[in-house]
């Protein structure tokens, strides 16, 4: 029976993308409008960072995205490099790339759980966990922690890489590649998956970009937009890699782009590893007080573009820190564009959420 | 497609499991440079409070301890709340006298149900087994690099 309803969805719902809620307007089973209800995870990270000193503020900078912390870590470290006007050693630059790329893979492997869960294919998700586990073990071996690594700091990286770094890292890339291939085949090749995702949540790349989205959502819609190419940071201009793009811009294309991205990331890691040699300098000293000025960094994270803007007035702490995260437009403008232009039923909503892959904590911060 | 997935599933089932049964079957996951609970060398600490100043989580406060410590006339040592600690290692990195270390004690080994036990007094911190040390200051502190390499 058609009729208009207003339904609250989340924050505690298995189909909701994290701890955020929605007010859904329904007509029968069709969702016509979704209003985001954020704020459940708000901790005031920017202010907390501003209340800390330069040397310990970076401990907080990456803590609002559990799945992909290293892109944030690299972004903040790079912004502070510019504030302090230091040039980190080459080795640190390359190591940061490896760190960010492994983080992207780990994040995409985590995303497989949401995507597979919302389409009812649980099996490949557990294999993806194996790939993620291998990467987290590598992180624990190199940095000392599994999830929050705290390794990219202003002026370089925090310590020397362990013995046998090159071989183990290269080996890991091949191990991960094998698992990812299995996951891709089992997930994207599945008929049920194709039926659930093809033509669902269509958005073209240029439209998505205009609505504020970045990352795989834009690339899935066929637009070659990647910060690593258009504004290279660290040493992304020195390695060769492709930007995978989709055609239609539906949920299937976004999933495909994420898998293709993983292979490109592995390629980048294999090239960068050759430049990280033991015994070379890895960090330059930064002073305790920053000169007045500002630092700005853009990085391509797993979900899109993060920008960090740090302003210094010459004190012991940052005067202002501002993060722009890629997730907010996904659940506001992009989601409502999809709902306006397509008949989305309640059953399709989790699929669309999962394929957009927002990160709830970085909306709230 | 479904058939090949089933074949792959069986292959994965025959592999070594990734799940670790902590604490029933195995210890927490550890590596050589794991950043775990602290060790304090009370014969080196001068009570300079640098570790307290640099801690981002406010996990450290300075307390007075009975005893005779010639290098530390005010007998003030750091007390660390392991429940607040983020294990960032900044206190180890910034200690000017190399008095703090990190060990491989992690996971459930850190806590008990009695909340008081997470607040480690200096004496407790100094009694940790030194063979467990994983992170020392020289691993984290900045090596001076002269301009031009
Ligand atoms: S542990 Fe180190 S930094 Fe902390 S008070 Fe003692 S000497 Fe100072
Ligand atoms: S490891 Fe970090 S959070 Fe823990 S006591 Fe030391 S400085 Fe504080």
């Amino acid at each position: 029976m058609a009729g208009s309803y207003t339904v609250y969805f989340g924050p505690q719902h298995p189909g909701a993308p994290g701890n955020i809620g929605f007010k859904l307007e329904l007509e029968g089973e069709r969702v016509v409008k979704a209003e985001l209800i954020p704020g459940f995870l708000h901790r005031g990270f920017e202010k907390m960072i501003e209340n800390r000193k330069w040397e310990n503020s970076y401990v907080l900078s990456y803590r609002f995205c559990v799945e992909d912390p290293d892109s944030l870590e690299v972004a903040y470290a790079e912004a502070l490099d510019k504030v302090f006007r230091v040039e980190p050693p080459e080795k640190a630059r390359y190591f940061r790339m490896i760190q960010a790329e492994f983080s992207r893979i780990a994040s995409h492997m985590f995303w497989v759980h949401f995507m597979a869960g919302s389409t009812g294919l649980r099996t490949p998700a557990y294999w993806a966990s194996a790939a993620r586990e291998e990467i987290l073990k590598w992180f624990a071996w190199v940095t000392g922690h599994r999830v929050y690594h705290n390794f990219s700091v202003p002026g370089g990286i925090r310590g020397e890489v362990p013995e046998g770094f090159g071989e183990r890292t290269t080996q890991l890339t091949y191990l991960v590649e094998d698992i990812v291939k299995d996951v891709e085949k089992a997930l994207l090749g599945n008929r049920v998956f194709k039926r659930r995702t093809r033509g669902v949540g269509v958005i073209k790349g240029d439209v998505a970009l205009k609505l504020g989205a970045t990352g795989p959502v834009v690339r899935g819609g066929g637009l070659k937009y990647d910060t690593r190419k258009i504004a290279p940071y660290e040493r992304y201009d020195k390695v060769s890699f492709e930007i995978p793009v989709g055609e239609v811009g539906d949920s299937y294309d976004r999933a495909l782009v994420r898998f293709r991205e993983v292979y490109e990331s592995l390629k980048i890691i294999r090239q960068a590893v050759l430049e990280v040699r033991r015994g070379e300098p890895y960090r330059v000293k930064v002073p305790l007080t920053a000169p007045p000025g500002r630092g700005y960094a853009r990085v391509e994270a797993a979900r899109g573009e993060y920008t960090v803007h740090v302003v210094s007035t010459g004190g012991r702490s940052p005067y202002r820190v501002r993060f722009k995260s890629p997730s907010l437009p996904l659940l506001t403008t992009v989601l409502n564009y999809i709902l306006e232009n397509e008949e989305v039923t309640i059953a399709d909503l989790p699929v669309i959420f999962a394929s957009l892959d927002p990160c709830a904590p970085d909306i709230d911060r | 497609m479904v058939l090949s997935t089933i074949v792959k599933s069986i292959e994965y089932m025959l592999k070594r499991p990734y799940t670790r049964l902590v604490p029933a079957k195995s210890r927490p996951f550890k590596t050589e440079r794991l950043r775990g609970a602290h060790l304090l060398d009370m014969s080196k600490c001068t009570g300079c409070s640098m570790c307290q100043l640099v801690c981002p989580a406010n996990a450290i406060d300075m307390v007075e301890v009975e005893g005779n410590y010639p290098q530390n006339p005010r007998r003030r040592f750091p007390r660390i709340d392991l429940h607040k600690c983020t294990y960032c290692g900044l206190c180890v990195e910034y200690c000017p006298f190399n008095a703090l270390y990190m060990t491989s004690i992690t996971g459930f080994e850190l806590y008990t149900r009695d909340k008081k036990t997470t607040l480690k007094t200096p004496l407790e911190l100094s009694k940790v087994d030194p063979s467990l040390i994983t992170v020392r200051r020289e691993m984290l502190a900045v090596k001076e690099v002269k301009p031009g390499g």
Side-chain angles (χ1 to χ4, degrees):
Chain A
M1 256 322 280
S4 290
Y5 312 88
T6 304
V7 175
Y8 284 91
F9 182 80
Q12 298 204 16
H13 188 285
N19 309 14
I20 31 179
F22 289 91
K23 192 172 154 190
L24 302 181
E25 275 172 33
L26 309 178
E27 258 163 33
E29 223 200 342
R30 185 186 164 185
V31 187
V32 287
K33 198 161 174 273
E35 193 187 310
L36 179 72
I37 312 173
F40 298 100
L41 292 164
H42 179 66
R43 304 294 300 272
F45 268 100
E46 289 171 7
K47 287 295 154 201
M48 284 202 308
I49 296 176
E50 285 161 24
N51 282 321
R52 277 169 177 77
K53 300 183 193 72
W54 291 109
E55 67 268 18
N56 61 17
S57 62
Y58 63 81
V59 173
L60 273 168
S61 63
Y62 46 85
R63 280 185 187 259
F64 52 79
C65 192
V66 191
E67 289 139 45
D68 182 25
D70 297 270
S71 305
L72 278 161
E73 203 178 304
V74 169
Y76 191 70
E78 198 178 284
L80 287 203
D81 286 345
K82 288 177 187 160
V83 169
F84 283 103
R85 298 181 201 132
V86 291
E87 181 62 37
E90 282 298 292
K91 174 175 165 186
R93 296 264 192 201
Y94 280 101
F95 183 87
R96 284 182 189 175
M97 271 165 53
I98 301 176
Q99 194 186 353
E101 292 307 321
F102 267 135
S103 173
R104 180 190 322 279
I105 301 169
S107 168
H108 284 346
M109 289 300 105
F110 205 60
W111 156 85
V112 172
H113 266 278
F114 297 115
M115 197 70 220
S118 63
T119 46
L121 302 158
R122 286 269 173 198
T123 315
Y126 294 113
W127 309 346
S129 288
R132 186 178 154 86
E133 175 67 20
E134 290 292 349
I135 294 170
L136 296 191
K137 274 185 188 160
W138 179 88
F139 271 125
W141 173 65
V142 178
T143 69
H145 273 194
R146 278 165 68 87
V147 178
Y148 293 131
H149 314 116
N150 203 344
F151 210 67
S152 288
V153 291
I157 52 170
R158 215 158 160 217
E160 179 60 282
V161 294
E163 200 105 30
F165 175 80
E167 297 95 79
R168 178 158 171 190
T169 309
T170 316
Q171 264 174 21
L172 175 64
T173 59
Y174 290 109
L175 181 65
V176 169
E177 187 166 359
D178 286 347
I179 302 177
V180 174
K181 273 186 183 148
D182 290 345
V183 177
E184 185 188 356
K185 210 168 145 202
L187 196 65
L188 300 190
N190 191 294
R191 237 183 22 230
V192 177
F193 185 83
K194 280 184 191 155
R195 285 254 188 109
R196 291 292 308 271
T197 53
R198 284 242 202 250
V200 172
V202 181
I203 184 162
K204 280 280 171 204
D206 45 349
V207 181
L209 192 66
K210 269 196 202 119
L211 293 175
T214 42
V217 175
V218 172
R219 293 195 286 274
L223 193 68
K224 277 203 179 190
Y225 180 90
D226 191 317
T227 315
R228 291 174 291 175
K229 282 274 191 214
I230 56 171
Y233 51 99
E234 303 307 346
R235 290 292 173 261
Y236 279 107
D237 46 350
K238 298 268 171 66
V239 292
S240 74
F241 62 100
E242 298 289 313
I243 307 175
V245 287
E247 282 165 22
V248 194
D250 55 6
S251 302
Y252 184 86
D253 275 357
R254 291 195 280 273
L256 187 76
V257 162
R258 288 204 176 87
F259 278 107
R260 296 271 180 278
E261 252 180 50
V262 169
Y263 301 130
E264 296 303 320
S265 294
L266 291 170
K267 241 200 245 170
I268 296 173
I269 293 168
R270 280 174 210 143
Q271 293 169 52
V273 146
L274 303 174
E275 305 292 329
V276 180
R277 287 174 286 262
R278 264 175 78 86
E280 284 179 10
Y282 51 84
R283 186 174 177 186
V284 292
K285 206 164 189 162
V286 295
L288 289 177
T289 312
R294 54 178 70 204
Y296 180 75
R298 284 168 84 178
V299 302
E300 182 74 32
R303 285 166 184 72
E305 187 179 286
Y306 269 107
T307 56
V308 187
H309 189 191
V310 183
V311 180
S312 156
T313 50
R316 286 280 283 118
S317 316
Y319 173 73
R320 181 77 177 95
V321 178
R322 172 89 178 102
F323 287 91
K324 188 212 142 261
S325 74
S327 296
L328 185 62
L330 300 182
L331 291 184
T332 49
T333 49
V334 171
L335 182 62
N336 277 308
Y337 174 88
I338 293 172
L339 296 179
E340 272 164 30
N341 290 291
E342 198 180 306
E343 278 213 20
V344 175
T345 59
I346 291 225
D348 284 338
L349 207 56
V351 177
I352 293 175
F353 282 154
S355 76
L356 295 174
D357 192 22
C359 180
D362 80 34
I363 293 176
D364 289 343
R365 294 202 289 280
Chain B
M1 258 318 152
V2 175
L3 252 175
S4 71
T5 305
I6 292 171
V7 172
K8 268 276 167 261
S9 305
I10 293 168
E11 260 176 48
Y12 272 96
M13 266 163 67
L14 298 176
K15 280 186 189 167
R16 179 180 54 85
Y18 277 89
T19 324
R20 301 161 54 80
L21 290 174
V22 179
K25 288 248 170 80
S26 49
R27 316 292 300 163
F29 182 76
K30 290 179 187 190
T31 55
E32 306 91 82
R33 46 168 79 181
L34 184 111
R35 302 201 295 267
H38 303 73
L39 186 154
L40 173 71
D41 189 341
M42 285 177 82
S43 64
K44 281 192 196 161
C45 173
T46 60
C48 69
S49 303
M50 192 64 187
C51 49
Q52 183 191 17
L53 281 175
V54 83
C55 176
N58 275 343
I60 302 184
D61 54 353
M62 304 297 291
V63 291
E64 209 162 299
V65 170
E66 292 298 313
N68 182 24
Y69 301 98
Q71 88 289 2
N72 192 342
R74 276 157 65 217
R75 304 196 305 271
R76 281 157 57 77
F77 290 94
R79 176 177 67 173
I80 304 181
D81 187 348
L82 294 182
H83 199 72
K84 278 189 186 171
C85 176
T86 62
Y87 303 96
C88 61
L90 281 173
C91 48
V92 179
E93 182 179 329
Y94 277 82
C95 172
F97 299 97
N98 265 335
L100 272 177
Y101 302 90
M102 285 183 129
T103 64
S104 62
I105 300 174
T106 181
F108 71 88
E109 297 164 346
L110 288 171
Y111 306 118
T112 62
R113 289 188 190 177
D114 175 7
K115 277 198 175 164
K116 276 187 203 134
T117 52
T118 65
L119 200 60
K120 294 284 185 208
T121 61
L123 281 173
E124 280 172 314
L125 288 173
S126 67
K127 284 196 190 113
V128 178
D129 179 4
S131 69
L132 298 177
I133 289 179
T134 46
V135 178
R136 296 160 195 279
R137 179 162 181 251
E138 40 308 352
M139 288 168 64
L140 297 174
V142 191
K143 290 211 181 83
E144 287 284 357
V145 180
K146 296 196 180 63

